[in-house]
Amino acid sequence: MRKVISLFFLLAIPFILPAQQVEALSLNEGWEFSQMNKNQWYTAEVPGSVQRDLVRHNVLPDPFYGINEEKIQWVEDENWDFKKTFTITADQLKYDDAQLFFEGLDTHADVFLNGARILHSENMFIGYKIPVKQLLKEGENHLYLRFYSPVQLMMPARATFGYDYPAGNDHREEKLSIYNRKAPYHFGWDWGIRIAQMGIWKPVSLNFYNGARIEDYYVKQASVTAQSAKIDNQIEIHSAANAPVQAVITVAYSLRDDAGKPVSKNITLQPGKNMISIPLEVDQPKRWMPVNWGEQHLYDFTVKVLSGNREIAEKTVRTGLRSVRLVQESDGHGKSFYFEVNDIPIFAKGSNYIPGEIFTSQQDAGFYDRLFDNITATNMNFIRVWGGGIYENEEFYRQADERGILVWQDFIFGCVPYPSDDAFLTNVKKEVTYNIRRLRNHASLAFWCGNNEIEEGLNHWGWQKEYPDEVMEAWFKGYDKTFRELIPGLVSELDSTRSYIHGSPYDSNWGNPGKFAASDAHDWGLWHGRMPFEAMADRLPRFASEFGFQSFPEMKTIRTFAEEKDFDISSDVMKTHQKSGIGNEVIKQYMDMYFHTPTNFEDFIYIGLVMQGNGMEESVEAMRRGRPYCMGALYWQINDDWPVVSWSSIDYYNNWKAQHYRMRDVLAPLALGVESKDGKIHYYTMSDYLQDHNNLRLTVQVIDFSTGKRKEFTERVDAKANDSRIVKTFNIADLVNETEKAYTVIHAFLSDNKGNVISSKDHFFFWPNKLELPQTEVKTSVQYRDGEYRVTLSSKKLAKDVFVEIPIQGARFSDNFIDLLPGEKRTIIITSPELRAVDKTSITVKHIRETY
């Protein structure tokens, strides 16, 4: 397992306003925990979880290794207690108010302070602020939390419902995840280990105030154009005074060192809650733009509360000024589904994101740096926060703001009906309200989506055959109550500047592609439908919000959880790390379609990586070529939360699979696309830039696998801004005859006036099992430096899908899984702080022809 690291960026940081009006005390240290009634106390890391700490104390084995998953399941059936003592000074007790803030409790817990029960928690996704001034005392104070088993606590709900919900991703006989407002993926998924955790998963702080505090500050962007941004500053202030207080509220804004004119308002603060609205207009705003469209300008808006010439409260919000909306309009094909940013249509390039750790609190600042480095390195502009995980930590959205990445945000419901009784929906209402208010100031947040695949399941997954009509009818009615009434009403009330849809897919199913013309689509014809990769080009949706194909991680990751004796796809260990019931069977079926059967396990792993990468590239490119009909490609999925066989393009240890390299190339801001159809080859420019790129050179070479270049054509072409279009067409017969197709590649590249290659594209007429690949040796030479190895590759003949391996987790390669053309030399740069020149760490090279 990875080293457990505290969430330092989430810790409550002490701060003081003028005249000592505010003080914050972090309560993350010094916790202990024990199984209820056992009185065996262990130190606890906060943020954290019971299971994470039990692994740390070696009470539980590494859950990722072998089949250890089954050895840790007993923990979820027990209750667990946490306790802490902290000290309060006489000066702290003089503050007007004190508030205890639990940013996240997972999930069902009673909280006691100095003998009083102050909170009953039943929602992982809510932060709880509790006034505690009257309970505090000078000297030692005592906190005690009892966490209840999310399984045993909900057994009566299951018993009284009379049926198990169709929660296939809940990896236990009793399906109890749906009764919990807790991260669904903790209960397992078709890529996920089950660790149904309990504990304090976000920071804890005690906050002291004098006078007043600003509970919430919403910089509502009523309208944003190039000429003007009209802002409604919505401020919630809590006054700790016992009588009305005269105050002045001032709102100021600045962009770096450029400050605008502040606005002020005289008000009377009533005891308790006060809601204030202050309009403000920014002339000629510098608008926040997505990556590659311009700069990510972020303004600081600051509200201050002054009373008696004394500042009593202050809060700053950083946000970008922009407009973003989902466009769904009838057209000649059906109905559009695309996003506009600052009134410009954007092709959404990106992926679906799941939480990056099963132990959620391990997602530290370094995790988010790596995640967004990987997102931007792959030329994405969109990321979908999927509905089976969590509402992400603040750092996620801050990074998205700063890097120009738009966020599709699901509410956390996925793949199964949920209860819709009044008590459950009251809990949901609190959750939705809390997270809308928490996230709505982020410029990157583009969109709210009610859930993942629930209506599709109700209509198409065969539940009607398993459940009585009255149960199905209740589920349909409950769906409408939650996703067509409650949540959209809250979005309209709290964040009316953003679009909302009830669920994804919006109105389609992969088994009925006729519906693709008017909706986003989760097209699982590839994989679940076992359709060939090339068929995806003939069934484009208006917006592809899910589609994907599995692979194993590379061997160095497999070796972290398996031994040599386990290197068989049917071994117990491999089955434990393959959560899709059809997974290994489907991988093998596709491999038999496209490749020569590998002769050993390691070759099977390598071929699977190549197949996933090249097949997904074919699908994504078809979608990108298909704009403006198709305006989005968010593949499933970018990441893993443990070492596993999955649809990810990056494995758990931050190793890029072939798919991630291929996504980087096909999603480039200006990429070359190719389509072979009806005896012709069409070359496309696919551009996301907002400016035309003219007078580019397109070079097309006909290359024999063994003897090299036979023909070359050059053409001047223009790449139109924010558009995909054909710029050159060849008759295939003018390039090769039928026999030559088996041993010829059409190599094309786009270059600028200085000869710099912008994008390149190799077109093979067949998959490898129908190609006459030559036997060849890839020669290597290595320059060793601390932190960097430079590997130069060459081959006299074509070496297809050359894979360079090094036994260091998370090492970054400038390129990999490359086609090395006859006589070509390519240098791949490998970087990692673990690389040392003196070690000369071993490097291995593999290509397709060596596997048969």
Side-chain angles (χ1 to χ4, degrees):
M1 290 182 60
R2 279 188 261 195
K3 182 180 179 182
V4 176
I5 307 173
S6 296
L7 293 168
F8 74 84
F9 63 90
L10 289 175
L11 296 179
I13 300 172
F15 61 95
I16 298 173
L17 284 178
Q20 192 73 16
Q21 298 304 307
V22 179
E23 183 180 347
L25 177 66
S26 171
L27 298 182
N28 293 330
E29 302 299 324
W31 287 91
E32 296 179 284
F33 77 105
S34 171
Q35 187 177 343
M36 189 182 78
N37 296 329
K38 293 292 186 181
N39 203 33
Q40 184 175 2
W41 294 91
Y42 301 93
T43 60
E45 287 192 346
V46 171
S49 73
V50 169
Q51 286 93 328
R52 178 179 157 187
D53 272 326
L54 290 175
V55 172
R56 186 171 60 88
H57 286 290
N58 297 315
V59 176
L60 295 178
D62 177 356
F64 298 169
Y65 189 79
I67 58 173
N68 283 349
E69 178 182 1
E70 63 187 29
K71 298 177 182 179
I72 67 170
Q73 303 304 341
W74 63 271
V75 179
E76 69 184 40
D77 288 296
E78 304 298 330
N79 300 335
W80 297 86
D81 293 346
F82 283 68
K83 66 181 181 180
K84 173 184 172 57
T85 299
F86 61 96
T87 300
I88 296 296
T89 67
D91 286 340
Q92 288 169 331
L93 288 176
K94 294 177 183 177
Y95 279 91
D96 294 339
D97 199 3
Q99 192 179 64
L100 186 60
F101 186 18
F102 289 97
E103 295 186 35
L105 298 174
D106 185 8
T107 293
H108 304 278
D110 285 323
V111 180
F112 298 84
L113 174 63
N114 293 337
R117 191 176 83 159
I118 60 172
L119 173 67
H120 175 70
S121 163
E122 55 180 356
N123 195 312
M124 176 181 176
F125 306 122
I126 295 175
Y128 296 97
K129 295 180 178 180
I130 310 123
V132 294
K133 178 174 170 57
Q134 301 306 315
L135 293 173
L136 296 175
K137 56 187 180 181
E138 185 178 353
E140 285 193 348
N141 291 256
H142 303 279
L143 272 171
Y144 199 104
L145 283 70
R146 173 156 290 170
F147 285 91
Y148 300 98
S149 160
V151 174
Q152 295 302 323
L153 186 66
M154 290 303 173
M155 285 292 188
R158 173 178 181 262
T160 54
F161 180 60
Y163 297 91
D164 264 326
Y165 277 72
N169 290 306
D170 187 333
H171 294 170
R172 181 167 170 148
E173 181 181 352
E174 305 95 342
K175 307 303 182 186
L176 297 159
S177 55
I178 54 90
Y179 298 107
N180 292 275
R181 289 313 300 148
K182 169 178 172 59
Y185 85 107
H186 281 181
F187 295 88
W189 216 266
D190 58 2
W191 37 259
I193 188 173
R194 178 189 178 100
I195 307 182
Q197 294 159 73
M198 292 154 278
I200 306 169
W201 79 287
K202 285 192 174 184
V204 187
S205 60
L206 181 57
N207 302 286
F208 299 94
Y209 304 91
N210 278 328
R213 65 176 181 267
I214 299 171
E215 286 281 14
D216 186 57
Y217 177 22
Y218 177 27
V219 181
K220 183 177 181 180
Q221 301 180 34
S223 70
V224 178
T225 67
Q227 291 74 39
S228 170
K230 295 181 180 179
I231 308 298
D232 180 11
N233 295 279
Q234 298 182 358
I235 307 152
E236 179 183 337
I237 301 173
H238 178 90
S239 174
N242 295 321
V245 173
Q246 299 303 310
V248 177
I249 313 297
T250 300
V251 175
Y253 69 93
S254 63
L255 178 64
R256 294 182 287 274
D257 296 328
D258 185 12
K261 183 179 180 182
V263 294
S264 297
K265 186 175 185 177
N266 295 316
I267 64 165
T268 301
L269 288 175
Q270 300 297 328
K273 181 178 177 179
N274 297 262
M275 297 298 299
I276 298 104
S277 174
I278 300 179
L280 181 152
E281 186 169 357
V282 180
D283 292 328
Q284 305 293 318
K286 293 185 177 179
R287 289 181 292 178
W288 183 94
M289 296 293 270
V291 62
N292 293 318
W293 276 19
E295 291 190 52
Q296 289 74 57
H297 297 291
L298 294 170
Y299 284 79
D300 288 319
F301 286 80
T302 299
V303 58
K304 295 182 179 181
V305 183
L306 293 93
S307 179
N309 295 320
R310 187 170 60 113
E311 182 182 313
I312 60 174
E314 177 183 335
K315 189 176 182 68
T316 297
V317 164
R318 174 164 288 186
T319 190
L321 303 179
R322 85 289 176 272
S323 64
V324 58
R325 71 182 184 113
L326 172 65
V327 181
Q328 291 180 283
E329 296 174 347
S330 297
D331 57 24
H333 305 286
K335 184 182 287 186
S336 65
F337 193 107
Y338 68 91
F339 293 90
E340 276 186 352
V341 182
N342 296 326
D343 302 317
I344 307 169
I346 187 169
F347 187 96
K349 307 180 304 180
S351 62
N352 288 258
Y353 162 81
I354 65 170
E357 295 279 358
I358 184 61
F359 294 124
T360 314
S361 58
Q362 287 187 173
Q363 294 180 191
D364 65 347
F367 167 83
Y368 290 105
D369 283 339
R370 289 189 299 273
L371 172 65
F372 277 89
D373 284 348
N374 289 330
I375 288 170
T376 55
T378 322
N379 298 306
M380 297 181 187
N381 57 26
F382 237 101
I383 195 78
R384 178 185 176 216
V385 179
W386 163 79
I390 61 172
Y391 305 93
E392 263 296 334
N393 291 317
E394 188 69 20
E395 181 70 2
F396 179 96
Y397 304 95
R398 188 192 69 79
Q399 292 254 8
D401 289 347
E402 294 187 352
R403 301 194 190 219
I405 306 298
L406 293 156
V407 177
W408 167 317
Q409 179 68 55
D410 281 3
F411 290 97
I412 307 303
F413 303 86
C415 296
V416 64
Y418 285 81
S420 57
D421 57 88
D422 289 347
F424 188 86
L425 291 186
T426 296
N427 195 6
V428 168
K429 181 178 180 180
K430 293 175 183 176
E431 167 191 325
V432 170
T433 299
Y434 179 82
N435 284 287
I436 291 176
R437 285 161 62 99
R438 182 171 72 91
L439 301 178
R440 61 189 175 181
N441 280 317
H442 286 283
S444 56
L445 183 62
F447 174 63
W448 295 104
C449 175
N451 69 82
N452 178 75
E453 294 184 352
I454 298 177
E455 188 177 56
E456 182 184 51
L458 287 167
N459 286 315
H460 299 290
W461 291 1
W463 296 337
Q464 291 85 350
K465 299 175 183 178
E466 303 176 36
Y467 295 91
D469 291 346
E470 60 269 22
V471 171
M472 292 300 303
E473 182 180 352
W475 283 345
F476 275 106
K477 288 182 178 178
Y479 184 93
D480 289 344
K481 285 171 64 177
T482 305
F483 302 110
R484 287 192 170 95
E485 297 171 21
L486 174 63
I487 295 179
L490 292 170
V491 171
S492 178
E493 174 190 350
L494 300 169
D495 191 20
S496 58
T497 66
R498 288 183 177 87
S499 303
Y500 168 87
I501 60 172
H502 62 83
S504 179
Y506 179 74
D507 183 30
S508 71
N509 171 257
W510 65 262
N512 182 13
K515 288 255 190 168
F516 286 10
S519 174
D520 76 310
H522 295 191
D523 190 358
W524 289 104
L526 180 67
W527 185 261
H528 285 294
R530 310 198 189 197
M531 295 174 54
F533 289 110
E534 51 268 28
M536 296 290 280
D538 297 322
R539 45 187 282 138
L540 295 183
R542 305 310 296 266
F543 192 106
S545 44
E546 269 194 33
F547 60 101
F549 194 89
Q550 272 199 358
S551 73
F552 281 70
E554 64 178 272
M555 286 303 304
K556 67 187 175 192
T557 293
I558 292 174
R559 289 190 174 95
T560 67
F561 63 77
E563 300 176 19
E564 199 86 23
K565 63 182 177 61
D566 306 312
F567 290 174
D568 186 302
I569 63 172
S570 60
S571 72
D572 289 342
V573 171
M574 293 306 156
K575 288 179 180 178
T576 297
H577 289 75
Q578 167 58 279
K579 297 301 184 182
S580 171
I582 63 171
N584 292 345
E585 170 196 342
V586 175
I587 292 173
K588 190 174 186 312
Q589 180 179 337
Y590 274 86
M591 204 174 289
D592 291 342
M593 289 169 56
Y594 293 121
F595 292 86
H596 295 281
T597 303
T599 57
N600 60 63
F601 181 76
E602 293 197 19
D603 285 349
F604 178 89
I605 300 305
Y606 158 65
I607 294 293
L609 289 163
V610 170
M611 180 170 65
Q612 180 199 37
N614 292 350
M616 286 296 291
E617 178 186 29
E618 189 165 330
S619 299
V620 171
E621 186 186 312
M623 293 168 187
R624 200 169 175 201
R625 290 196 311 260
R627 72 174 298 176
Y629 176 84
C630 177
M631 284 296 288
L634 308 182
Y635 68 85
W636 184 269
Q637 67 209 68
I638 186 174
N639 63 309
D640 289 328
D641 72 335
W642 73 306
V644 67
V645 188
S646 82
W647 296 265
S648 71
S649 60
I650 305 172
D651 77 19
Y652 178 69
Y653 294 108
N654 203 43
N655 301 303
W656 286 22
K657 298 181 180 179
Q659 180 179 191
H660 211 70
Y661 294 97
R662 299 291 76 78
M663 293 301 98
R664 177 197 61 187
D665 297 341
V666 75
L667 297 179
L670 175 53
L672 190 61
V674 61
E675 179 183 38
S676 178
K677 192 172 184 178
D678 300 327
K680 298 181 183 298
I681 289 183
H682 305 291
Y683 282 97
Y684 287 72
T685 54
M686 305 180 297
S687 178
D688 296 317
Y689 290 119
L690 297 184
Q691 303 82 29
D692 292 344
H693 285 66
N694 296 326
N695 201 29
L696 303 175
R697 180 184 293 272
L698 172 65
T699 303
V700 178
Q701 299 174 338
V702 180
I703 296 178
D704 182 286
F705 291 172
S706 296
T707 61
K709 183 171 65 176
R710 291 193 289 110
K711 299 178 183 177
E712 180 174 283
F713 305 88
T714 59
E715 188 88 10
R716 288 289 177 180
V717 299
D718 298 332
K720 186 170 175 57
N722 209 26
D723 183 71
S724 296
R725 61 176 53 197
I726 297 171
V727 293
K728 180 63 178 177
T729 296
F730 292 92
N731 292 316
I732 294 176
D734 294 337
L735 303 176
V736 293
N737 60 39
E738 285 300 314
T739 301
E740 292 170 333
K741 287 181 179 179
Y743 54 83
T744 302
V745 57
I746 311 300
H747 175 65
F749 55 94
L750 196 64
S751 52
D752 61 21
N753 286 328
K754 297 180 180 179
N756 300 310
V757 175
I758 299 169
S759 178
S760 64
K761 185 71 180 178
D762 290 337
H763 175 70
F764 294 88
F765 291 95
F766 308 115
W767 280 80
N769 60 350
K770 295 182 180 178
L771 292 176
E772 297 176 10
L773 295 175
Q775 292 187 348
T776 188
E777 177 188 359
V778 176
K779 294 184 177 181
T780 64
S781 64
V782 184
Q783 291 181 321
Y784 301 97
R785 300 175 184 168
D786 289 346
E788 177 186 288
Y789 288 4
R790 303 176 71 91
V791 184
T792 300
L793 309 170
S794 63
S795 175
K796 292 182 178 179
K797 301 178 182 180
L798 172 73
K800 189 164 184 355
D801 297 298
V802 176
F803 175 35
V804 180
E805 293 182 270
I806 194 164
I808 292 177
Q809 300 287 8
R812 178 62 63 89
F813 293 72
S814 61
D815 208 348
N816 215 336
F817 298 93
I818 64 172
D819 294 330
L820 192 60
L821 300 176
E824 181 183 22
K825 280 191 175 183
R826 295 275 292 275
T827 298
I828 291 177
I829 302 170
I830 310 172
T831 54
S832 169
E834 297 181 42
L835 289 174
R836 298 175 60 218
V838 68
D839 292 339
K840 295 189 176 181
T841 303
S842 63
I843 296 170
T844 58
V845 177
K846 185 190 292 283
H847 63 92
I848 291 287
R849 187 62 184 84
E850 293 177 328
T851 65
Y852 63 94

